[in-house]
């Protein structure tokens, strides 16, 4: 057998553009328009491949994505660890070598193609650029539809008029309601298309299937239509007079085409005439045609059914979604009549069904003998259909052999489930532009540039970057945090609190709505006042906290924790839209419109006064838990007297665009008293000294307000709020629930440490709680911790233990309020 | 393969002592345990499709027991111990591979909750270690611990005894051994209703292959349990969501442990065949179609190539979806349904596969004795009335 390029012919190649490439260390020539497979055949490279498990010699068997044998690693001009040679578009300088079914991922940087994503919305998408697809596309375009036509081949005839043609583009998967993902793969780039179409037409054609017979995997065995494609489109003749084994007339036509209508020579086995034959040629070129399978992977993956067609011996489309149609050969049109021959009995151990998994008729028979009767079980016992070719040539064959061996009739079981993607897709292509910092949006406050200039160490809080602390030269985190905390306690500190979630809740029913969302009553809040609130889950557990400011009778400004801002807005909307549509309330996120700078410390009022404001800052005129609108440093501001540190504190909310200006003005005005920027770590330590909880740190979704010693925040009247019913459940009112306590110990307790009454040294050890927050308190100059401990409030004065690997720390249970228990300092 | 003989395809009898609805891992393990431990062999497992074709065939086979709460740790740790002896118990190589499971932490909140879990695991007798980023790189050099990652690796918990097993082999081994002990396994029999007796007692099921009576009927149908329960007027606190998984093309071995990251949604191990087996995120909507949304795959793979630079050239080969049934507290329901004759085992969410041996063990004991096994006593349906929830997803920290 000698494959060769004919002197002329080949509708897909351009003989005026010769290309040089290397395969397995040898240099060869091909033409533009070749695939690596066609170029190899043109150079009479018909084998050189090995099967993955048994290591049997294999050759190019197909001309398309169904190829089970000829896999290569491409290393130039781009890298691809494993791909069918039939799907590699030949380019000048291409370097490839054979790979036996298993790729090698490179640990070093290798050349890559650009990856990008595009989105398009059309009336009609047609998959497949053959005659049926082009006809469907033209018809849709003439109706006035915007039409996209995709075809996996790199040579597609010009798209019909008014049709957007995407060659080299494979539809990977069809999702609900006409959403299709497609991969455009060119030598320069890989582009993932997201197509939204009202109608999708699958004109995906049909794939010839092999027949399982002894030795059917040897080099030289090729699907008959593949040989015809090489002859017609690439001008490559695989043999002068190949043998043929066929179940249908197309096999005969294909062979005639390969032989250029020359005299009939060589053995032909035609199962339509001669159902039994034992004279299969064991060398030389052998064309095979076992019939044609409509390509229904995409159809089946979205739930389309298939039916067995006896005359064609294949599965054709049954029912599918109304927006999805199948046309042409994929729809069972123009499929030749076919003798239902699936395997030729004889030596079963070399009669291959799935060449890429090296699985034979014998393997299927073994699985059935062992008692497996479902095609899905046979697949899982043999791994048939799970290799890179996804069983394109083995799926229907396996089902048919199972049906035949079980004697259940050819329509008893179809092929196993089809699953996207239709062809393998590089991870980087799917990731597209969402790499590096674009993996998830980075949110920065308006003051972020100042933080960066001043050496802030940042932490990720949700999507936000927040300054954790501002180390000065020579300071570690502990030293910086201690300095920042002490500055707040003794003079004043400033915190960029802009990341707090902010929602405006507006409408005639806003107050009634918030009463249902929070445990305490917001409707009685006076305009100009602020109330701290808890939001519970349906289970009665603390879900989020924040403050509500009443701007007007029908207008509230609500804050959330940084990480929960989206969740809280989502929850508001869900209840409003699905449960209480009668309420007239509108919620708007204003997190990014308002910047928020907190100034905290005994000198906070002085600094604010020095900065210049038209607000009367005296405690009588501007009491704790109220807010005022005015000007600060000439900037329109909403100033709120709330405190998360226990110190006199103002939160100054301004238009985000003026936040940096305000921040710098505050620092200038406070310079004389040593005003100090502080980060989240100091904020956490300061609030822990005061016993203020952080939702999500001191709570974990299992904590009620009462567990936190904050039962006062839950109103006791008959009006309803989310979580109210759950608070009355037996378990929620247990007396031995875990409660928030403070812990004093000689050594710093690790956060998360479990707490016990007795260290038995054995597991499992009965625990009574865990440490939720732990700091070396700068104000008290000793370790302090917050913990959730069973019956904690009754344990004040007791000593409990934290067993750690290698040591046990004893801790005294105390009130969680370590600093200023009288709360005298928030007025300054 | 030739020497193997799998379960016998049974024709259903008219009456059994126990009818188990659902021929997945849990149903089969329960049947096996009823027969083996409790001597109850008059058992029928009815399966609407092919055996173990639901979540058992669709999960990413990760096994670990490092759950936070002691109730969860107890049952998952019991399960892990059963996994460790399963090959001997069933006489089948189920390819249990304790290759170590890493759970990465990417922000301070995750570090805090991970440390808490390590401390809790240790006192619960569950092996757990905290690894610094450098330790992570030493244990699994493929992981990118660069601080310049969008969400850098700040550390990880490691359970060395955790790993993977071969899901089909597990199900088939339970089925085969149960079948050998006399259990009838009936495939392609879809339950269409329940037979009710005096006082509404459940006395069997109507199926597409006829009525099958059972003194006790035990549901083990994962995501479809709520549909079945609705047939007897029982509304369960379950939501069923698609959860996708995927495999890559086949590559030479590069990854010899399981790596999980909650924050950036990467769950990955490498199968012996060479595929990278990955679990994607859960789809937010409820549904029973066993397929999910493509954007979930996009997010998953974007995160994966950041965390593992070597994955850049890997190719997605196959995606699929399972249906996870999730309770409000992300813990399962196992026990009596409140209707005489009917038992429930559902709500395992993403924990079902790893729980298979223990779920079968404890569910069988509960069915056999009529009293909840100590392992599942906390996981009663009643907890949604009392409020004694075991909140496993609430245990994840929330960013402040």
């Amino acid at each position: 057998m000698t494959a060769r390029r004919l002197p002329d012919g080949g509708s897909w190649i351009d003989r005026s553009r010769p290309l040089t490439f290397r395969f397995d260390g040898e240099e060869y020539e091909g033409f533009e328009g070749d695939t690596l497979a066609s170029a190899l055949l043109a150079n009479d490279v018909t084998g050189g491949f090995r099967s993955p498990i048994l290591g049997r010699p294999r050759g190019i068997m197909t001309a398309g994505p169904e190829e089970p044998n000829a896999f290569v690693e491409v290393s130039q001009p781009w890298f691809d660890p494993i791909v069918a040679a039939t799907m590699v578009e030949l380019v000048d300088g291409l370097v490839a070598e054979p790979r036996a079914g298993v790729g090698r991922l490179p640990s070093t940087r290798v050349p890559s193609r650009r990856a990008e994503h595009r989105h398009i919305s059309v009336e009609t998408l047609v998959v497949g650029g053959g005659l049926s697809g082009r006809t469907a596309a033209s018809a849709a375009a003439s109706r006035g539809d915007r039409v996209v036509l995709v075809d996996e081949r790199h040579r597609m005839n010009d798209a019909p008029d008014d049709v957007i043609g995407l060659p080299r583009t494979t539809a990977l998967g069809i999702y609900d309601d006409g959403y299709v993902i497609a991969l455009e793969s060119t030598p320069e780039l890989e582009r993932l298309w997201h197509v939204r179409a009202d109608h999708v037409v699958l004109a995906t054609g049909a794939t010839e299937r092999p027949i399982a017979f002894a030795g059917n995997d040897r080099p030289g065995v090729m699907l008959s239509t593949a040989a015809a494609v090489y002859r017609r489109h690439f001008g490559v003749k695989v043999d002068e007079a190949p043998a043929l084994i066929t179940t249908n007339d197309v096999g005969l036509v294909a062979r005639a085409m390969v032989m250029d209508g020359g005299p009939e020579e060589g053995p032909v086995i035609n199962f339509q005439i001669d159902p039994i034959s034992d004279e299969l040629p064991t060398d030389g070129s052998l064309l095979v045609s076992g019939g044609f399978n409509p390509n229904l992977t995409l159809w089946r993956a979205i739930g389309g059914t298939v039916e067995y067609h006896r005359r064609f011996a294949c599965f054709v489309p049954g029912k599918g979604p109304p927006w999805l149609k199948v046309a042409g050969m994929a729809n069972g049109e123009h499929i030749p009549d076919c003798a239902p021959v699936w395997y030729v009995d004889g030596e079963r151990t070399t009669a291959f069904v799935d060449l890429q998994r090296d699985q034979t008729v014998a393997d299927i028979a073994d699985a059935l003998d062992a008692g497996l009767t479902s095609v899905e079980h046979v697949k899982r016992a043999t791994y048939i259909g799970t290799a890179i070719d996804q069983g394109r040539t083995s799926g229907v064959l396996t089902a048919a052999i199972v049906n035949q061996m079980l004697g259940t009739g050819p329509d008893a079981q179809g092929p196993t489930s089809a699953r996207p993607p239709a062809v393998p897709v590089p991870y980087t292509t799917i990731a597209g532009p969402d790499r590096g910092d674009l993996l998830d949006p980075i949110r920065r406050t308006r003051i972020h540039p100042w933080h960066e200039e001043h050496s802030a160490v940042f932490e990720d809080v949700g999507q936000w970057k927040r300054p954790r602390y501002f180390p000065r030269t020579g300071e570690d985190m502990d030293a910086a945090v201690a300095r920042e905390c002490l500055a707040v306690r003794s003079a004043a500190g400033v915190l960029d609190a802009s990341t707090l979630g902010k929602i405006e809740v507006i409408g005639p029913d806003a107050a009634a709505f918030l009463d249902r969302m929070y445990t305490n009553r917001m409707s009685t809040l006076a305009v100009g006042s602020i109330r701290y609130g808890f939001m519970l889950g349906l289970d009665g557990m603390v879900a989020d906290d924040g403050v509500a400011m009443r701007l007007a009778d029908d207008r509230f400004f609500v804050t959330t924790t940084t990480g929960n801002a989206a969740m809280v807005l989502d929850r508001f909307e869900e209840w409003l839209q699905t449960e209480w549509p009668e309420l007239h309330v509108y919620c708007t996120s204003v997190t990014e419109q308002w910047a928020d700078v907190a100034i905290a410390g005994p000198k906070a009022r002085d600094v604010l006064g020095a900065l210049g404001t038209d607000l009367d800052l005296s405690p009588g005129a501007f009491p704790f838990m109220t807010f005022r609108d005015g000007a600060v440093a000439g900037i329109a501001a909403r100033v709120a007297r709330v405190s998360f540190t226990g110190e006199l504190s103002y939160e100054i909310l301004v238009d985000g665009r003026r936040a940096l200006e305000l921040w710098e003005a505050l620092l200038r005005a406070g310079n004389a008293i040593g005003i100090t920027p502080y980060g989240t770590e100091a904020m956490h330590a300061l609030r822990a000294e005061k016993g203020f909880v952080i939702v999500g740190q001191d709570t974990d979704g299992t904590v009620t307000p009462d567990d936190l010693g904050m039962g006062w925040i839950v109103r006791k009247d008959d009006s309803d709020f989310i979580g109210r019913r759950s608070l009355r459940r037996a378990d929620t009112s247990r007396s031995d629930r875990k409660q928030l306590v403070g812990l004093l110990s000689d050594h710093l307790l690790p956060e998360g440490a479990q707490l016990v009454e007795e260290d038995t040294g054995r597991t499992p050890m009965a625990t009574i709680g865990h440490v939720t927050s732990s700091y070396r308190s700068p104000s008290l100059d000793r370790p302090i911790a917050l913990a959730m401990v069973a019956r904690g409030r009754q344990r004040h004065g007791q000593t409990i233990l934290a067993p750690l690997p290698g040591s046990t720390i004893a801790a005294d249970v105390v009130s969680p309020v370590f600093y200023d228990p009288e709360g005298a300092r928030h007025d300054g | 393969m030739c020497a193997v003989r799998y379960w016998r395809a049974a024709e259903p009898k008219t009456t059994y002592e126990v009818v188990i609805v659902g021929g997945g891992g849990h149903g089969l393990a329960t049947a096996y345990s009823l027969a083996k431990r409790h001597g109850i062999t008059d058992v029928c497992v009815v399966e609407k499709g092919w055996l173990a074709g639901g979540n058992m065939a669709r999960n990413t086979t990760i096994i670990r027991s490092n759950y936070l709460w002691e109730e969860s740790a107890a049952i998952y740790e019991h399960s892990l111990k059963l996994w460790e002896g399963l090959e001997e118990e069933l006489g089948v190589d189920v390819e249990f591979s304790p290759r170590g499971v890493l759970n990465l932490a990417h922000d301070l909140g995750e570090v805090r909750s991970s440390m808490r879990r390590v401390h809790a695991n240790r006192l619960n007798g569950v092996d757990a270690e905290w690894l610094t980023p450098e330790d992570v790189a030493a244990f699994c050099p493929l992981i990118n611990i660069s601080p310049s990652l969008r969400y850098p690796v700040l550390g990880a918990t490691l359970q060395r005894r955790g790993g993977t097993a071969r899901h089909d082999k597990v199900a088939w081994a339970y089925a085969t051994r149960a079948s050998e002990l006399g259990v009838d396994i009936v495939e392609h029999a879809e339950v269409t209703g329940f037979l009710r007796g005096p006082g509404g007692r459940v006395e069997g099921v109507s199926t597409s292959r006829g009525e099958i009576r059972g003194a006790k009927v035990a549901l083990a149908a994962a995501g479809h349990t709520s549909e079945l329960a609705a047939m007897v007027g029982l509304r369960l606190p379950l939501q069923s969501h698609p959860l996708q998984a995927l495999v890559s093309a086949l590559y030479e071995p590069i990854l010899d442990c399981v790596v999980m990251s909650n924050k950036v949604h990467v769950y990955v191990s490498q199968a012996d065949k060479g595929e990278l087996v990955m679990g994607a995120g859960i789809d937010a909507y409820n549904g029973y179609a066993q397929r999910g949304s493509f954007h979930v795959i996009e997010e998953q793979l974007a995160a994966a190539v950041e965390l593992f630079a070597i994955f850049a050239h890997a190719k997605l080969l196959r995606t699929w979806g399972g249906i996870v049934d999730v309770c409000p507290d992300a813990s399962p329901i196992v026990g009596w349904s409140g209707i005489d004759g009917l038992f429930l085992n559902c709500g395992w969410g993403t924990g079902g596969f790893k729980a298979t041996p223990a779920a079968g063990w404890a569910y069988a004991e509960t069915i056999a004795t009529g009293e909840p096994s100590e392992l599942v006593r906390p996981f009663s349906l009643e907890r949604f009335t009392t409020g004694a929830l075991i909140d496993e997803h609430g245990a994840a920290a929330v960013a402040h």
Side-chain angles (χ1 to χ4, degrees), chain A residues 339-522:
Chain A
V341 175
W342 315 101
Y343 68 97
V344 180
D345 220 351
E347 178 51 53
R348 289 178 170 185
T349 59
T350 62
F352 284 84
V353 177
D354 186 334
L355 282 79
Q356 215 189 347
R357 293 297 320 168
D358 270 332
Q359 294 294 307
T360 65
V361 175
D363 296 312
I364 294 177
D366 285 348
L368 297 179
D369 286 347
L372 301 178
T373 54
S374 161
V375 171
E376 292 282 359
H377 288 147
V378 171
K379 166 190 169 178
R380 286 166 165 78
T382 61
Y383 293 136
I384 284 175
T386 63
I388 297 172
D389 65 340
Q390 288 287 283
R392 274 189 173 71
T393 53
S394 62
V396 170
L397 197 55
T398 302
I401 292 172
V402 167
N403 287 333
Q404 185 172 336
M405 287 184 167
L406 292 175
T408 50
D411 55 349
Q413 294 191 64
T416 57
S417 309
R419 291 157 164 178
V423 297
V425 196
Y427 283 11
T428 40
T429 307
I430 295 172
D434 297 343
R435 305 288 303 279
D437 281 351
L438 298 182
L439 178 67
D440 201 29
I442 298 177
R443 299 174 81 183
R444 301 180 182 88
T445 73
R446 298 280 190 159
I447 307 169
H448 189 91
W450 189 95
H451 303 323
E452 277 196 324
E453 279 168 29
H454 292 79
S455 312
V457 174
F458 292 94
E459 69 163 310
D460 289 308
V461 185
Q463 292 172 323
W464 290 97
K465 295 283 183 191
R466 295 197 76 176
R468 192 176 178 196
Y469 55 100
F470 296 88
R472 289 183 180 163
T473 310
E475 277 184 341
D476 62 7
M477 184 176 86
D478 286 347
V481 170
R483 174 178 50 74
E484 292 170 16
C485 287
L486 292 173
V488 171
R489 292 280 181 239
S490 63
V494 281
L495 174 82
D496 181 358
S498 302
T499 64
L500 279 185
K502 306 169 202 77
I503 302 168
E504 284 210 14
V505 180
I506 304 165
D509 297 319
F513 170 66
L514 291 178
D515 278 352
R516 299 186 195 180
M517 300 307 296
Y518 288 89
T519 61
N520 41 357
R521 194 169 275 290
M522 296 301 182

Side-chain angles (χ1 to χ4, degrees), chain B residues 242-328:
Chain B
L243 173 63
Q244 293 179 95
L246 58 96
V247 292
S248 72
L250 285 65
Y251 302 106
E252 290 176 359
I254 49 169
L255 181 65
D256 61 1
C257 62
V258 180
V259 181
M260 310 178 66
S261 165
N262 210 21
K263 171 109 182 173
V264 299
H265 283 301
V266 175
Y267 304 82
V268 61
S269 64
Q270 188 172 21
D272 291 347
K273 276 186 294 172
E275 301 113 318
L276 299 167
V277 182
M278 306 179 76
I282 207 163
D283 269 273
Y285 61 88
N286 294 352
Y288 289 109
Q290 286 171 319
R291 56 177 185 269
S293 307
F294 189 72
H295 71 87
V296 176
I297 303 287
E298 290 181 321
E299 288 161 14
Q300 143 103 55
L301 293 182
V305 294
E306 293 303 300
L307 211 46
F308 297 90
I310 197 171
F311 288 2
H313 290 274
K315 289 185 190 176
L316 174 67
L317 187 61
R318 228 171 26 248
T319 66
W320 64 90
I323 302 301
V324 290
D325 42 330
V326 185
C327 286

Side-chain angles (χ1 to χ4, degrees), chain A residues 731 734, chain B residues 69-76 237 327 329-336 344 346-348 361-363 365-366 371-392:
Chain A
D731 192 79
R734 258 190 306 123
Chain B
W69 298 107
E70 58 192 48
E71 296 89 342
S72 312
I75 190 160
Y76 284 107
C327 286
D329 60 355
S331 286
I333 299 169
V334 187
W336 183 49
L344 298 173
C346 55
W348 286 93
W361 194 93
Y363 196 29
E365 183 179 319
T366 304
E371 278 296 310
S373 155
E374 285 309 312
L375 282 178
V376 297
R377 192 178 290 278
F379 298 104
S380 68
L381 180 59
E382 203 192 4
R383 75 178 187 274
F384 296 99
T385 309
T386 65
L389 306 178
I390 300 153
D391 197 331
E392 280 292 340

